[in-house]
Amino acid sequence: MRRSEFLAGIATAASARPARGRTLRLDANPLGHDIDPYRDPESGIDELAWLYADGLVGWDGHTVPLLATSLPAETDGGRRLHYRLRRADWHDGRRFVARDVADALASIRATRWGTSEPYRSIRELVVGGDHDFDVLLDSPRPGFVRSFFGPYGTPALPLVRRAPDGTPLGTGPFAVRARPELQRWRLERYDASPRGSPRLDAIELRLLSSDMTANVRLLSGEADIALPLTPNAFGADRFRRLRRISSTAVLILNADRTLHDVAARRAFAHAIDVPSLQRAYDRKRTTLLASLLLSGGNDAGFARALAFDRSTTAALRAAVADRELTIVFVTESPAQTRMATLLQQTLLAVGVASTLRPTPTSRYSSLEGPLRSGAFDIAVVPLTYGDNPDYEADWSCDSRPPAGGNFARWCEPGFESAIRRGERQAALRMLYDTIACIPLSRAYEDLGISPHVRGFVAPPLLVPATYSCARWELD
């Protein structure tokens, strides 16, 4: 079908759709398959939960109280924080109390997100009454308040509880009222959220398995917002497109398999022509990226370790011997497919055999998928390190699967010592010097917004795009 015919068909479908009041249709493509981040702790589910749930604190360019009456008072050198709660009700009418925060913390700590900051550093939560509780930390933690049941960070978790029938409950601008079919929910207006009364009557939320489907539905008028869109979104001039930095895409090297030795990983980094791989992944990139952080410049030592050096190919062949490397990546990503194909060709040119194993997004990080099972040598994985990086969640020995997200199975005593001493720069130095992973690009997500939607603002770095949902409107 010609492009003009395709667009004409979409225009016809859009003009034929019935009036629907103030119900916004939101398509999302998270890694998980639920909208309860406690039940399905995957990237993107925490963002969707902010449609119907609130946190202790919110974000307005800085941390602000939300379900808490004020930012907590700190004592014991920042190791004890006292919270007082405002009066609020869950969507089923039950009063929100401090015991609910303790129950939510227990639920999160039973998931892989419990190994991430800020939840990992909590020694105890002491309930003092219906509206008061104290959080006891193992040490002072910069940034704790904004990310403890707040919208800043990864994960960015609101407070959720579950109804007896399994429906997730919150106190947010919209309440989950129906599930008309698998992967689809109806959220209806709730006026008592601390984020204010929403301007929409309802949100029809649909989870998709392909961002290309989101693109087509946005073009045809079947959706008003797509989170996220494919980078190659078709007909992107027909809707507003917002881009946000989401993570740093990296190649992680499985330290439990062929590339377990530091010398082998260093030889690999020099032999594969990292700048060319980065350009294959991100065609707009013209210079080497040698950093795991979302902002700032390259690390000079890491840049040297990633420089192309043909003389290292013999060392790589010796380390690999006659074994075949397994390269895994997400099936639906054209950038990952290009990069993996080039990597395979590069390895073949230096005498190293490899197998490409594209894996659907739905399986990639599932219990049986390659990242958690360890069935790979090289994998593409996103890492998110803002201004207070949580390296332990991705690299601690205690966070190796199934306990956490250290998919590389990397375990270095020196790293653990640096973390215990609070020396994050030294810990980062070890990641760089041992080539724990190789950066590909700062990864972006494109959000598609219909021209009929007003009040949708570009989300700040590490804050969910759904946080502003109470302000969304339809023409």
Side-chain angles (χ1 to χ4, degrees), residues 206-238:
R206 186 187 297 266
L207 302 193
L208 305 174
S209 59
S210 167
D211 50 9
M212 183 56 75
T213 303
N215 182 198
V216 173
R217 284 174 50 82
L218 189 64
L219 281 170
S220 67
E222 296 175 273
D224 300 303
I225 296 177
L227 304 176
L229 277 175
T230 171
N232 304 321
F234 193 69
D237 56 338
R238 290 173 170 251

mmCIF file of all heavy atoms in Angstrom, residues 206-238:
data_model
loop_
_atom_site.group_PDB
_atom_site.id
_atom_site.type_symbol
_atom_site.label_atom_id
_atom_site.label_comp_id
_atom_site.label_asym_id
_atom_site.label_seq_id
_atom_site.Cartn_x
_atom_site.Cartn_y
_atom_site.Cartn_z
ATOM 1 N N ARG A 206 -4.964 0.899 27.746
ATOM 2 C CA ARG A 206 -4.742 -0.352 27.028
ATOM 3 C C ARG A 206 -3.242 -0.650 26.990
ATOM 4 O O ARG A 206 -2.439 0.232 26.628
ATOM 5 C CB ARG A 206 -5.289 -0.254 25.604
ATOM 6 C CG ARG A 206 -5.229 -1.559 24.803
ATOM 7 C CD ARG A 206 -5.631 -1.319 23.357
ATOM 8 N NE ARG A 206 -7.006 -0.864 23.250
ATOM 9 C CZ ARG A 206 -8.036 -1.662 23.035
ATOM 10 N NH1 ARG A 206 -7.847 -2.964 22.888
ATOM 11 N NH2 ARG A 206 -9.256 -1.171 22.935
ATOM 12 N N LEU A 207 -2.859 -1.871 27.374
ATOM 13 C CA LEU A 207 -1.462 -2.287 27.273
ATOM 14 C C LEU A 207 -1.256 -3.023 25.960
ATOM 15 O O LEU A 207 -2.026 -3.936 25.617
ATOM 16 C CB LEU A 207 -1.068 -3.209 28.444
ATOM 17 C CG LEU A 207 -1.237 -2.655 29.851
ATOM 18 C CD1 LEU A 207 -0.507 -3.557 30.861
ATOM 19 C CD2 LEU A 207 -0.720 -1.232 29.961
ATOM 20 N N LEU A 208 -0.231 -2.624 25.239
ATOM 21 C CA LEU A 208 0.070 -3.209 23.933
ATOM 22 C C LEU A 208 1.384 -3.972 23.996
ATOM 23 O O LEU A 208 2.244 -3.704 24.839
ATOM 24 C CB LEU A 208 0.167 -2.112 22.872
ATOM 25 C CG LEU A 208 -1.050 -1.190 22.736
ATOM 26 C CD1 LEU A 208 -0.740 -0.074 21.757
ATOM 27 C CD2 LEU A 208 -2.275 -1.977 22.289
ATOM 28 N N SER A 209 1.557 -4.891 23.092
ATOM 29 C CA SER A 209 2.809 -5.648 23.028
ATOM 30 C C SER A 209 3.766 -5.075 21.996
ATOM 31 O O SER A 209 4.894 -5.539 21.868
ATOM 32 C CB SER A 209 2.525 -7.114 22.698
ATOM 33 O OG SER A 209 1.841 -7.219 21.458
ATOM 34 N N SER A 210 3.344 -4.043 21.258
ATOM 35 C CA SER A 210 4.179 -3.463 20.205
ATOM 36 C C SER A 210 3.984 -1.952 20.159
ATOM 37 O O SER A 210 2.847 -1.473 20.118
ATOM 38 C CB SER A 210 3.830 -4.068 18.843
ATOM 39 O OG SER A 210 4.406 -3.323 17.789
ATOM 40 N N ASP A 211 5.097 -1.213 20.168
ATOM 41 C CA ASP A 211 4.975 0.234 20.054
ATOM 42 C C ASP A 211 4.555 0.647 18.646
ATOM 43 O O ASP A 211 4.038 1.735 18.438
ATOM 44 C CB ASP A 211 6.261 0.947 20.476
ATOM 45 C CG ASP A 211 7.509 0.392 19.807
ATOM 46 O OD1 ASP A 211 7.375 -0.430 18.891
ATOM 47 O OD2 ASP A 211 8.613 0.771 20.227
ATOM 48 N N MET A 212 4.749 -0.215 17.653
ATOM 49 C CA MET A 212 4.258 0.087 16.311
ATOM 50 C C MET A 212 2.731 0.094 16.285
ATOM 51 O O MET A 212 2.099 0.913 15.598
ATOM 52 C CB MET A 212 4.789 -0.931 15.293
ATOM 53 C CG MET A 212 4.368 -0.629 13.854
ATOM 54 S SD MET A 212 4.854 1.033 13.305
ATOM 55 C CE MET A 212 6.614 0.778 13.068
ATOM 56 N N THR A 213 2.101 -0.804 17.060
ATOM 57 C CA THR A 213 0.646 -0.791 17.165
ATOM 58 C C THR A 213 0.176 0.530 17.760
ATOM 59 O O THR A 213 -0.827 1.116 17.323
ATOM 60 C CB THR A 213 0.160 -1.963 18.036
ATOM 61 O OG1 THR A 213 0.624 -3.186 17.482
ATOM 62 C CG2 THR A 213 -1.356 -1.987 18.114
ATOM 63 N N ALA A 214 0.909 1.029 18.756
ATOM 64 C CA ALA A 214 0.566 2.322 19.356
ATOM 65 C C ALA A 214 0.636 3.432 18.310
ATOM 66 O O ALA A 214 -0.202 4.338 18.289
ATOM 67 C CB ALA A 214 1.506 2.625 20.519
ATOM 68 N N ASN A 215 1.635 3.365 17.435
ATOM 69 C CA ASN A 215 1.785 4.351 16.374
ATOM 70 C C ASN A 215 0.561 4.349 15.453
ATOM 71 O O ASN A 215 -0.024 5.397 15.149
ATOM 72 C CB ASN A 215 3.056 4.044 15.587
ATOM 73 C CG ASN A 215 3.359 5.041 14.480
ATOM 74 O OD1 ASN A 215 4.132 4.750 13.596
ATOM 75 N ND2 ASN A 215 2.758 6.218 14.513
ATOM 76 N N VAL A 216 0.137 3.158 15.029
ATOM 77 C CA VAL A 216 -1.003 3.045 14.118
ATOM 78 C C VAL A 216 -2.284 3.527 14.799
ATOM 79 O O VAL A 216 -3.091 4.250 14.205
ATOM 80 C CB VAL A 216 -1.160 1.592 13.632
ATOM 81 C CG1 VAL A 216 -2.449 1.426 12.832
ATOM 82 C CG2 VAL A 216 0.043 1.193 12.783
ATOM 83 N N ARG A 217 -2.477 3.155 16.068
ATOM 84 C CA ARG A 217 -3.698 3.560 16.774
ATOM 85 C C ARG A 217 -3.735 5.070 17.005
ATOM 86 O O ARG A 217 -4.797 5.688 16.953
ATOM 87 C CB ARG A 217 -3.796 2.807 18.098
ATOM 88 C CG ARG A 217 -4.239 1.359 17.929
ATOM 89 C CD ARG A 217 -4.187 0.592 19.241
ATOM 90 N NE ARG A 217 -4.852 1.293 20.315
ATOM 91 C CZ ARG A 217 -6.167 1.277 20.541
ATOM 92 N NH1 ARG A 217 -6.966 0.593 19.716
ATOM 93 N NH2 ARG A 217 -6.680 1.922 21.557
ATOM 94 N N LEU A 218 -2.570 5.671 17.221
ATOM 95 C CA LEU A 218 -2.519 7.121 17.397
ATOM 96 C C LEU A 218 -2.868 7.824 16.088
ATOM 97 O O LEU A 218 -3.624 8.799 16.061
ATOM 98 C CB LEU A 218 -1.134 7.534 17.883
ATOM 99 C CG LEU A 218 -0.945 8.983 18.329
ATOM 100 C CD1 LEU A 218 -1.790 9.291 19.549
ATOM 101 C CD2 LEU A 218 0.527 9.239 18.650
ATOM 102 N N LEU A 219 -2.344 7.313 14.987
ATOM 103 C CA LEU A 219 -2.621 7.912 13.682
ATOM 104 C C LEU A 219 -4.084 7.764 13.276
ATOM 105 O O LEU A 219 -4.669 8.668 12.669
ATOM 106 C CB LEU A 219 -1.727 7.266 12.619
ATOM 107 C CG LEU A 219 -0.279 7.750 12.550
ATOM 108 C CD1 LEU A 219 0.523 6.857 11.624
ATOM 109 C CD2 LEU A 219 -0.220 9.185 12.069
ATOM 110 N N SER A 220 -4.683 6.629 13.613
ATOM 111 C CA SER A 220 -6.057 6.379 13.190
ATOM 112 C C SER A 220 -7.080 7.069 14.081
ATOM 113 O O SER A 220 -8.279 7.033 13.779
ATOM 114 C CB SER A 220 -6.332 4.871 13.186
ATOM 115 O OG SER A 220 -6.312 4.371 14.509
ATOM 116 N N GLY A 221 -6.631 7.679 15.171
ATOM 117 C CA GLY A 221 -7.551 8.322 16.094
ATOM 118 C C GLY A 221 -8.129 7.392 17.130
ATOM 119 O O GLY A 221 -9.011 7.772 17.900
ATOM 120 N N GLU A 222 -7.622 6.147 17.214
ATOM 121 C CA GLU A 222 -8.106 5.197 18.221
ATOM 122 C C GLU A 222 -7.445 5.425 19.576
ATOM 123 O O GLU A 222 -7.879 4.848 20.580
ATOM 124 C CB GLU A 222 -7.834 3.772 17.756
ATOM 125 C CG GLU A 222 -8.583 3.368 16.507
ATOM 126 C CD GLU A 222 -8.167 1.994 16.040
ATOM 127 O OE1 GLU A 222 -7.181 1.893 15.283
ATOM 128 O OE2 GLU A 222 -8.819 1.016 16.448
ATOM 129 N N ALA A 223 -6.375 6.223 19.623
ATOM 130 C CA ALA A 223 -5.687 6.525 20.874
ATOM 131 C C ALA A 223 -5.364 8.012 20.914
ATOM 132 O O ALA A 223 -5.196 8.658 19.871
ATOM 133 C CB ALA A 223 -4.408 5.696 21.000
ATOM 134 N N ASP A 224 -5.286 8.556 22.120
ATOM 135 C CA ASP A 224 -4.955 9.970 22.303
ATOM 136 C C ASP A 224 -3.516 10.172 22.780
ATOM 137 O O ASP A 224 -2.903 11.202 22.509
ATOM 138 C CB ASP A 224 -5.904 10.599 23.330
ATOM 139 C CG ASP A 224 -7.356 10.505 22.894
ATOM 140 O OD1 ASP A 224 -7.673 10.989 21.799
ATOM 141 O OD2 ASP A 224 -8.165 9.932 23.648
ATOM 142 N N ILE A 225 -2.981 9.207 23.512
ATOM 143 C CA ILE A 225 -1.612 9.270 24.018
ATOM 144 C C ILE A 225 -0.990 7.895 23.838
ATOM 145 O O ILE A 225 -1.638 6.873 24.103
ATOM 146 C CB ILE A 225 -1.561 9.676 25.506
ATOM 147 C CG1 ILE A 225 -2.100 11.097 25.704
ATOM 148 C CG2 ILE A 225 -0.143 9.581 26.055
ATOM 149 C CD1 ILE A 225 -2.153 11.531 27.166
ATOM 150 N N ALA A 226 0.277 7.842 23.418
ATOM 151 C CA ALA A 226 1.023 6.592 23.306
ATOM 152 C C ALA A 226 2.297 6.713 24.133
ATOM 153 O O ALA A 226 3.086 7.632 23.928
ATOM 154 C CB ALA A 226 1.352 6.289 21.849
ATOM 155 N N LEU A 227 2.497 5.769 25.066
ATOM 156 C CA LEU A 227 3.678 5.726 25.934
ATOM 157 C C LEU A 227 4.344 4.361 25.816
ATOM 158 O O LEU A 227 3.845 3.392 26.404
ATOM 159 C CB LEU A 227 3.272 5.929 27.406
ATOM 160 C CG LEU A 227 2.488 7.165 27.818
ATOM 161 C CD1 LEU A 227 2.128 7.078 29.288
ATOM 162 C CD2 LEU A 227 3.286 8.412 27.563
ATOM 163 N N PRO A 228 5.457 4.214 25.151
ATOM 164 C CA PRO A 228 6.077 5.184 24.256
ATOM 165 C C PRO A 228 5.719 4.860 22.820
ATOM 166 O O PRO A 228 4.929 3.969 22.543
ATOM 167 C CB PRO A 228 7.559 4.925 24.509
ATOM 168 C CG PRO A 228 7.625 3.432 24.741
ATOM 169 C CD PRO A 228 6.336 3.062 25.434
ATOM 170 N N LEU A 229 6.371 5.582 21.884
ATOM 171 C CA LEU A 229 6.249 5.331 20.454
ATOM 172 C C LEU A 229 7.523 4.700 19.929
ATOM 173 O O LEU A 229 8.597 4.849 20.526
ATOM 174 C CB LEU A 229 6.034 6.648 19.704
ATOM 175 C CG LEU A 229 4.638 7.226 19.624
ATOM 176 C CD1 LEU A 229 4.699 8.577 18.955
ATOM 177 C CD2 LEU A 229 3.711 6.288 18.856
ATOM 178 N N THR A 230 7.420 4.026 18.798
ATOM 179 C CA THR A 230 8.633 3.598 18.119
ATOM 180 C C THR A 230 9.417 4.818 17.652
ATOM 181 O O THR A 230 8.824 5.823 17.237
ATOM 182 C CB THR A 230 8.302 2.700 16.906
ATOM 183 O OG1 THR A 230 9.494 2.474 16.153
ATOM 184 C CG2 THR A 230 7.279 3.361 16.002
ATOM 185 N N PRO A 231 10.756 4.783 17.721
ATOM 186 C CA PRO A 231 11.543 5.928 17.239
ATOM 187 C C PRO A 231 11.278 6.262 15.772
ATOM 188 O O PRO A 231 11.461 7.397 15.347
ATOM 189 C CB PRO A 231 12.992 5.449 17.443
ATOM 190 C CG PRO A 231 12.907 4.443 18.534
ATOM 191 C CD PRO A 231 11.592 3.743 18.328
ATOM 192 N N ASN A 232 10.808 5.275 14.996
ATOM 193 C CA ASN A 232 10.528 5.507 13.577
ATOM 194 C C ASN A 232 9.038 5.710 13.343
ATOM 195 O O ASN A 232 8.491 5.283 12.331
ATOM 196 C CB ASN A 232 11.016 4.304 12.747
ATOM 197 C CG ASN A 232 12.476 4.019 12.960
ATOM 198 O OD1 ASN A 232 13.273 4.939 13.064
ATOM 199 N ND2 ASN A 232 12.834 2.753 13.046
ATOM 200 N N ALA A 233 8.369 6.376 14.266
ATOM 201 C CA ALA A 233 6.916 6.525 14.199
ATOM 202 C C ALA A 233 6.478 7.095 12.851
ATOM 203 O O ALA A 233 6.970 8.118 12.397
ATOM 204 C CB ALA A 233 6.428 7.402 15.335
ATOM 205 N N PHE A 234 5.533 6.407 12.228
ATOM 206 C CA PHE A 234 5.055 6.763 10.900
ATOM 207 C C PHE A 234 4.086 7.930 11.000
ATOM 208 O O PHE A 234 3.214 7.975 11.861
ATOM 209 C CB PHE A 234 4.357 5.543 10.291
ATOM 210 C CG PHE A 234 4.086 5.664 8.828
ATOM 211 C CD1 PHE A 234 5.122 5.662 7.915
ATOM 212 C CD2 PHE A 234 2.792 5.770 8.366
ATOM 213 C CE1 PHE A 234 4.874 5.751 6.558
ATOM 214 C CE2 PHE A 234 2.528 5.857 7.005
ATOM 215 C CZ PHE A 234 3.570 5.851 6.107
ATOM 216 N N GLY A 235 4.239 8.919 10.109
ATOM 217 C CA GLY A 235 3.329 10.050 10.097
ATOM 218 C C GLY A 235 3.414 10.902 11.349
ATOM 219 O O GLY A 235 2.413 11.431 11.823
ATOM 220 N N ALA A 236 4.630 11.037 11.905
ATOM 221 C CA ALA A 236 4.804 11.731 13.179
ATOM 222 C C ALA A 236 4.445 13.209 13.105
ATOM 223 O O ALA A 236 4.295 13.851 14.146
ATOM 224 C CB ALA A 236 6.246 11.568 13.667
ATOM 225 N N ASP A 237 4.288 13.748 11.903
ATOM 226 C CA ASP A 237 3.890 15.149 11.787
ATOM 227 C C ASP A 237 2.411 15.335 12.120
ATOM 228 O O ASP A 237 1.925 16.467 12.209
ATOM 229 C CB ASP A 237 4.180 15.662 10.375
ATOM 230 C CG ASP A 237 3.514 14.824 9.291
ATOM 231 O OD1 ASP A 237 3.190 13.650 9.570
ATOM 232 O OD2 ASP A 237 3.325 15.338 8.184
ATOM 233 N N ARG A 238 1.678 14.238 12.317
ATOM 234 C CA ARG A 238 0.250 14.321 12.586
ATOM 235 C C ARG A 238 -0.071 14.363 14.079
ATOM 236 O O ARG A 238 -1.241 14.382 14.465
ATOM 237 C CB ARG A 238 -0.471 13.129 11.946
ATOM 238 C CG ARG A 238 -0.473 13.221 10.427
ATOM 239 C CD ARG A 238 -1.037 11.958 9.813
ATOM 240 N NE ARG A 238 -1.229 12.196 8.388
ATOM 241 C CZ ARG A 238 -2.414 12.336 7.797
ATOM 242 N NH1 ARG A 238 -3.508 12.283 8.520
ATOM 243 N NH2 ARG A 238 -2.497 12.536 6.510
#
